[in-house]
Amino acid sequence: MAAMFTCCFGCCGEGGSGHIPLKEMPTVQLDTHHMGTDVVIVKSGRRICGTGGCLANAPLHQNKSYFEFKIQSSGIWGIGVATQKVNLNQVPLGRDTNSLVLRHDGSVYHNDEEKNRLPANSLPQEGDIVGITYDHVEMNLYLNGKNMHCPASGIRGTVYPVVYVDDSAILDCQFSDFYHTAPQGFEKILFEQQIF
């Protein structure tokens, strides 16, 4: 019995602080290892400009994910979800089975097919916040916190948030500390080790 206390106190009491350092959780941001060749990522992985697309560094493993994009400067852009097989040098995305995106003109494309469209009076403008929910079946869109009732589906496999820009567009990504409250049941993207 005394030996057990000696071991416990010897390990923690005299030799060290008794605290085990925790590994810092990574931040969800745009992934400079998965971006088009003419893309520029700034603001600590939160802003995209240039020409091409970029994936976030965390897949959407949890059941219900939410993330936002702010349109800082108009141009050609698209946001949504994609697999790692997507061609990030080819804009617009949505031309193949590897991406499901809302385009700047309000259309939602997957596999070169228009899956849905925002109402004509609800096209995102400079300064607007576009929110995206994804539940492994359906992607839904929110404009400045309002549900656009514009669901789209069809993509399969492990997906990541994706954004592309062209023609002087600049978008900021918000993967936490949202401008608008996430819809009920949806939450920020979690890394796999945060889920378990």
Side-chain angles (χ1 to χ4, degrees):
M1 183 82 162
M4 183 172 74
F5 283 121
T6 304
C7 176
C8 286
F9 291 124
C11 295
C12 301
E14 297 172 7
S17 67
H19 293 84
I20 299 171
L22 295 176
K23 183 179 172 187
E24 187 174 316
M25 292 311 257
T27 302
V28 179
Q29 61 190 30
L30 294 175
D31 188 351
T32 55
H33 298 292
H34 291 97
M35 68 181 200
T37 54
D38 294 326
V39 168
V40 178
I41 304 297
V42 294
K43 294 193 80 149
S44 302
R46 289 190 42 233
R47 177 170 286 177
I48 182 172
C49 48
T51 298
C54 187
L55 296 175
N57 63 345
L60 303 179
H61 283 302
Q62 75 232 47
N63 292 334
K64 295 183 173 188
S65 304
Y66 178 75
F67 48 99
E68 295 175 333
F69 294 92
K70 182 174 185 178
I71 304 162
Q72 294 290 1
S73 182
S74 297
I76 295 172
W77 56 265
I79 54 178
V81 294
T83 69
Q84 285 190 325
K85 293 179 182 177
V86 68
N87 181 350
L88 296 168
N89 290 305
Q90 180 184 18
V91 295
L93 297 183
R95 294 181 186 180
D96 58 22
T97 59
N98 296 311
S99 59
L100 172 63
V101 295
L102 166 67
R103 294 178 175 173
H104 70 282
D105 65 0
S107 61
V108 181
Y109 266 81
H110 171 68
N111 201 20
D112 212 21
E113 179 184 336
E114 187 173 309
K115 294 293 193 173
N116 212 330
R117 182 172 280 279
L118 290 176
N121 63 347
S122 296
L123 296 181
Q125 305 295 317
E126 205 167 284
D128 283 344
I129 310 295
V130 181
I132 294 178
T133 59
Y134 185 72
D135 65 4
H136 292 279
V137 175
E138 197 171 75
M139 181 177 81
N140 276 288
L141 305 166
Y142 296 75
L143 182 60
N144 298 318
K146 181 182 176 199
N147 189 341
M148 291 288 96
H149 303 286
C150 188
S153 59
I155 195 165
R156 301 278 184 258
T158 301
V159 299
Y160 296 73
V162 68
V163 56
Y164 71 83
V165 292
D166 196 7
D167 195 29
S168 301
I170 300 172
L171 272 70
D172 284 356
C173 308
Q174 206 64 34
F175 297 115
S176 62
D177 302 321
F178 301 119
Y179 292 99
H180 300 280
T181 303
Q184 187 170 354
F186 289 86
E187 61 183 340
K188 69 180 183 178
I189 300 165
L190 301 173
F191 279 90
E192 197 167 14
Q193 65 261 34
Q194 291 175 299
I195 296 172
F196 300 111

